[in-house]
Amino acid sequence: MGLGFRIKQYLKMYIQNVYLPKIYRRAVKKTTVNPNKIIMADMHSDSLPYSMQAVYASLTEKGYIPTIYCRDISKMSRRESMQFMKGFMKEYSAAGYVFICSYFLPVSSCDKRPETKVIQLWHSGGLMKKMGYDTKDDIPKYYKGVVTKNYDLVTVSAPVCAPVWESALRLPRGTAKPLGLARTDIYYNEEWKKTNRERFYELCPEARGKKIVLYAPSFSGNASDPQCVGIESGIEKLFEELKDEYYLVVRLHPHLKKKYSRFWKSAAARELPTEKLLPVADIMITDYSSVLFDYSIYRKPFVLFCPDIEAYEKSRGFYADIKSFPAPIAKNRNELDKVFRDKLYDNYSKEQLEDFFKEYMGSCDGHSAERILSELSIS
């Protein structure tokens, strides 16, 4: 890890262990908990993240008016981010429910009131790469303070995920529950799928009559210095050679936007986020991205393109044996070329794709948001 990353971690430790607890204790003396006060908070987006939208919609249908407390900390100055967190702690002291969908340091920086419930919706499903306290890329060993403290409920996509998440996030047994991911409910909406397909072909009419290949890789390393080996291996040139049969759409992880900015210039990339491309794609290529599990809801073929798989397995590691997934694994451009020229992605049965979905996403049936609110007794 670089010096900048380490300095950032020490600053976070001071904020979590000293600054924010003091703000919260002061606020508690002046407030009481309002059980109808609901906050939806995030520090990676200036608007409500996709992973929270289904729960937000269900809450508003029930007559609640959640407070949206979302800002992209990477766009804020140090002073602005401190003010944002200070303001949140005051709101937090009186909240009945707080929903988050990623690491959110402020909720874990104090001994919260027991009447306040924190719900971690998270932004991904299934089991792939190691996370949380299981990898130094997420939380280094020298970090003092539990960044997942105060979680009352963590929603996961299938029963097999619950014990892994509880271990990785240092959660009490029973905190992670296979209620499904609310973000996936929309994938069962036929009108939504139809609208996205129509819009895609409006933006990319040249794709008609071809198999749509969605390349949606994750990144290696940590968020402060992300890498993408696959995109640098010549995948674009390969599909230029195969353009008569396939149409490639590249959708990189948001952390890679600055480094590979050219991929955000196309009309489809600007307008259609990854989730809206899933019903459009005929085949997905990814590496270690959890978007694969969202895509498995459609039971369509996928390919794992992992040029750095040996190094990645040593540096970060996996929870699942990805070699057992119902998909070919390509480790270089030549192998990827063979996969598409010989259509090796079709060598897996519908039953294999169905079993894969059930294993890792079986609790995602289109009704997760309502099930989550029912679990919380929010009616």
Side-chain angles (χ1 to χ4, degrees), residues 299 326 348-358:
R299 282 79 153 180
Y348 303 87
S349 68
K350 291 181 179 179
E351 290 75 20
Q352 286 175 295
L353 294 173
E354 180 68 24
D355 289 345
F356 179 77
F357 162 74
K358 288 180 178 177

Side-chain angles (χ1 to χ4, degrees), residues 285-297:
I285 306 175
T286 188
D287 45 16
Y288 323 114
S289 174
S290 63
V291 71
L292 163 64
F293 298 105
D294 280 32
Y295 184 69
S296 75
I297 290 174

Side-chain angles (χ1 to χ4, degrees), residues 12 33 58 76 82 98 103 160 162 186 194 205 217 241 265 277 318 321 352 368 375:
K12 284 170 64 177
V33 171
S58 292
M76 290 188 276
M82 296 295 276
V98 178
Y103 297 122
V160 70
I186 195 67
K194 180 175 180 250
E241 295 172 10
K265 293 179 181 178
L277 290 168
F318 303 105
D321 176 12
Q352 286 175 295
S368 297
E375 177 72 20

